[in-house]
């Protein structure tokens, strides 16, 4: 017997996702159709390693196409998951999110109907989109001035370097001769150029096996294991992955983005290999530090400060696209906001058994993932409704992983 209240609730969630997706896609359309010259300018800036102090670090240093527009350093991914900044010895506190598909996220807002936050960029949503109208544009500005990333002194220094470099002519041609005279105008122009590239088809290819399958499932079928994974992915009484990673096309056939742009506390443990714990100059709490996530950012926003506590430990739901894209079979990738998990298999097993295994810190001879899971970083607000004890068999876990691997861009259809 179908519960009508549950049915209405699911329909409402589906509608809200469709509305959000449509708004995000429409917001991205003007830049997605930007002149090819602006896209080329944005790409040049994205790969420009002179825009750091000392020179040597570009946006692509942490968001490389060979690794699905995220970290291209296998050794870093296999350990702390956090990249060293332009200054030797300086590290941040989170692993790089995927830059691809991030431009579809709407500006951060409180969904009063669902009573949760949606949109924004960065793991904690601090690139809200409230200033420039687009979270990805604001996100593009952040790393340039971050002392643990590209480490430039201010926006004027970034504008000076761009206007003295090889991209100067293209910047002036698109935004006008005066763009280099005003640091604020120049800083925002650089963000718009980067946004143009980040909304381009090069970064958002929608070229995975699953995309082909959606277009023509008869011609491009999933394997039996992948098909089982898809079924489990969407079943509420099994994987339930689709609750936060919608997998169906939008109302006008828009390809799915595999994120609902919300925030969640998954109960992930700390990553003790994260070098941030040794950065005492910037992290005086040392190993006692806990990442507050969205709640930490909301504390700084007066109109949302009263919502901070209930959002501690919550992080942006990432797209699953390119989750396993890597340049070679032995290349390591890391997952979760702190890079604590090192494979899709580990992630799915964690979702499945988080609440059925003991806490590692409370048993003898702990083997994380085998006989225990590390203590959650922030115990408040953990999602216990949609994960933790899914009852999946080993075969079912493997099937979900197989399906997620169909989301990697660059799939080549077999020849007829």
């Amino acid at each position: 017997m179908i519960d009508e209240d549950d049915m209405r609730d699911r329909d409402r969630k589906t509608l809200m996702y469709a509305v959000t997706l449509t708004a995000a896609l429409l917001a991205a359309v003007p830049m997605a159709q930007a002149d090819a010259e602006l896209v080329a300018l944005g790409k040049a800036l994205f790969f420009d390693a002179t825009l750091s102090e000392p020179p040597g670090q570009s946006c692509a240093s942490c968001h490389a196409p060979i690794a699905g527009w995220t970290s291209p350093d296998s050794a870093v991914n296999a350990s702390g998951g956090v990249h060293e900044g332009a200054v030797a010895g300086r590290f941040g506190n989170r692993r790089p999110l995927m830059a691809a598909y991030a431009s579809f996220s709407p500006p951060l807002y409180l969904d009063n109907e669902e009573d949760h936050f949606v949109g924004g960029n960065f793991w904690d949503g601090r690139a809200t989109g409230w200033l420039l109208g687009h979270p990805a544009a604001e996100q593009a500005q952040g790393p340039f001035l971050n002392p643990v990333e590209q480490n430039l002194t201010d926006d004027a220094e970034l504008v000076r370097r761009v206007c003295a470099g090889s991209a100067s002519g293209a910047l002036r041609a698109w935004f006008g001769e005066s763009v280099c005279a005003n640091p604020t105008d120049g800083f925002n122009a650089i963000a718009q150029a980067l946004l143009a590239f980040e909304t381009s088809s090069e970064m958002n290819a929608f070229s995975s096996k699953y995309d082909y399958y959606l277009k023509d499932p008869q011609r491009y079928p999933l394997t039996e294991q992948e098909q089982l994974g898809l079924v489990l992915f969407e079943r509420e009484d099994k994987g339930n992955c689709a609750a936060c990673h919608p997998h169906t096309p939008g109302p006008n056939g828009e390809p799915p983005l595999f994120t609902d742009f919300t925030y969640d506390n998954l109960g992930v443990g700390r990553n003790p290999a994260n070098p941030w714990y040794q950065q005492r100059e910037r992290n005086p709490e040392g190993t006692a530090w806990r990442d507050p996530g969205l709640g930490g950012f909301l504390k700084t926003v007066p109109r949302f400060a009263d919502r901070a506590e209930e959002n501690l430990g919550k992080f942006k739901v990432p797209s699953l696209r390119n989750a396993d894209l890597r340049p070679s079979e032995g290349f390591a990738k890391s997952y979760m906001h702190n890079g604590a998990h090192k494979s899709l298999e580990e992630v799915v097993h964690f979702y499945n058994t988080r609440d059925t295994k003991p806490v590692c810190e409370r048993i003898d001879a702990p083997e994380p993932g085998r006989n225990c899971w590390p203590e959650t970083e922030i115990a408040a607000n953990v999602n216990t409704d949609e994960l933790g004890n899914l009852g999946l068999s080993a075969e079912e876990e493997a099937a979900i992983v197989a399906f997620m691997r169909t989301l990697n861009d660059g799939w080549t259809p077999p020849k007829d």
Side-chain angles (χ1 to χ4, degrees):
M1 185 91 178
I2 297 175
D3 187 301
E4 291 187 3
D5 288 336
D6 287 346
M7 209 44 191
R8 281 193 294 269
D9 183 59
R10 180 154 187 167
D11 288 345
R12 179 164 52 82
K13 288 184 177 180
T14 301
L15 177 61
M16 285 304 302
Y17 169 67
V19 170
T20 302
L21 174 60
T22 302
L25 290 170
L26 288 175
V29 164
M31 294 309 299
Q33 295 178 343
D35 188 282
E37 293 180 3
L38 183 60
V39 173
L41 170 60
K43 182 176 181 178
L45 296 173
F46 192 89
F47 287 91
D48 191 342
T50 69
L51 305 181
S52 70
E53 182 53 45
Q57 188 170 76
S58 68
C59 304
S61 296
C62 298
H63 303 281
I66 61 168
W69 301 96
T70 186
S71 168
D73 193 316
S74 181
V76 166
N77 297 339
S79 56
V82 177
H83 274 250
E84 187 175 39
V87 177
R90 287 187 190 174
F91 294 84
N93 52 25
R94 298 170 185 148
R95 77 165 182 88
L97 264 168
M98 179 177 67
Y101 303 101
S103 60
F104 291 104
S105 185
L108 184 70
Y109 70 94
L110 175 61
D111 181 346
N112 290 309
E113 184 77 12
E114 293 288 337
D115 197 33
H116 60 208
F117 285 87
V118 182
N121 268 347
F122 286 123
W123 282 109
D124 59 4
R126 68 186 185 276
T128 60
W130 299 340
L131 180 62
L132 299 182
H134 204 300
E138 293 178 18
Q139 185 280 328
Q141 293 179 327
F144 289 120
L145 309 187
N146 192 329
V148 297
E149 294 185 78
Q150 287 165 276
N151 190 47
L152 296 181
T153 53
D154 53 29
D155 55 358
E157 176 60 15
L158 173 64
V159 174
R160 185 194 70 77
R161 291 192 183 206
V162 172
C163 290
S166 59
S168 175
L171 185 74
R172 295 171 191 270
W174 188 268
F175 294 100
E177 285 295 326
S178 63
V179 70
C180 292
N182 185 309
T184 299
D185 290 346
F187 194 38
N188 292 341
I190 290 167
Q192 292 300 320
L194 285 165
L195 176 61
F197 176 56
E198 291 181 11
T199 58
S200 71
S201 59
E202 180 174 352
M203 192 171 283
N204 310 282
F206 294 105
S207 60
S208 70
K209 180 178 183 180
Y210 186 65
D211 290 304
Y212 281 90
Y213 167 80
L214 288 177
K215 293 173 185 176
D216 192 338
Q218 298 302 316
R219 186 178 181 185
Y220 308 111
L222 300 180
T223 67
E224 183 177 345
Q225 185 185 40
E226 292 164 352
Q227 187 67 53
L228 173 61
L230 171 57
V231 171
L232 296 167
F233 188 94
E234 61 190 4
R235 277 181 56 177
E236 290 185 81
D237 63 336
K238 277 294 187 179
N240 200 26
C241 313
C244 296
H245 301 282
H247 66 299
T248 55
N252 298 309
E254 302 92 343
L257 298 173
F258 285 88
T259 174
D260 61 1
F261 311 108
T262 61
Y263 295 78
D264 225 335
N265 183 348
L266 303 176
V268 178
R270 295 187 309 146
N271 182 355
N274 188 334
W276 174 253
Y277 296 118
Q278 281 71 53
Q279 305 284 295
R280 298 308 290 258
E281 180 182 351
R282 291 172 175 77
N283 174 28
E285 295 180 69
T287 56
W289 180 82
R290 297 293 184 274
D291 195 331
L294 174 64
F297 168 65
L298 293 179
K299 282 184 179 180
T300 69
V301 183
R303 64 188 168 115
F304 290 136
D306 62 331
R307 308 300 298 265
E309 288 297 320
E310 66 198 65
N311 285 284
L312 286 174
K314 292 187 178 183
F315 297 91
K316 185 78 178 286
V317 173
S319 171
L320 296 183
R321 286 182 172 275
N322 293 327
D324 201 52
L325 185 60
R326 61 189 75 213
S328 61
E329 186 175 344
F331 181 91
K333 295 196 77 167
S334 61
Y335 301 88
M336 308 304 191
H337 67 280
N338 56 7
H341 295 315
K342 304 303 182 183
S343 69
L344 287 182
E345 288 84 355
E346 186 178 333
V347 171
V348 173
H349 190 55
F350 173 78
Y351 271 58
N352 185 28
T353 64
R354 183 196 65 195
D355 299 341
T356 66
K357 296 181 187 292
V359 175
C360 293
E361 289 81 355
R362 300 174 189 169
I363 66 171
D364 295 328
E367 296 181 51
R370 292 182 179 273
N371 62 357
C372 63
W373 288 111
E375 183 178 16
T376 185
E377 185 171 19
I378 289 185
N381 313 312
V382 172
N383 184 339
T384 57
D385 296 328
E386 297 170 316
L387 70 151
N389 183 12
L390 300 180
L392 298 169
S393 67
E395 178 188 15
E396 290 172 328
E397 285 187 12
I400 292 175
V401 171
F403 169 67
M404 286 196 288
R405 288 188 171 129
T406 71
L407 307 181
N408 294 335
D409 282 331
W411 184 71
T412 302
K415 294 182 179 180
D416 294 332

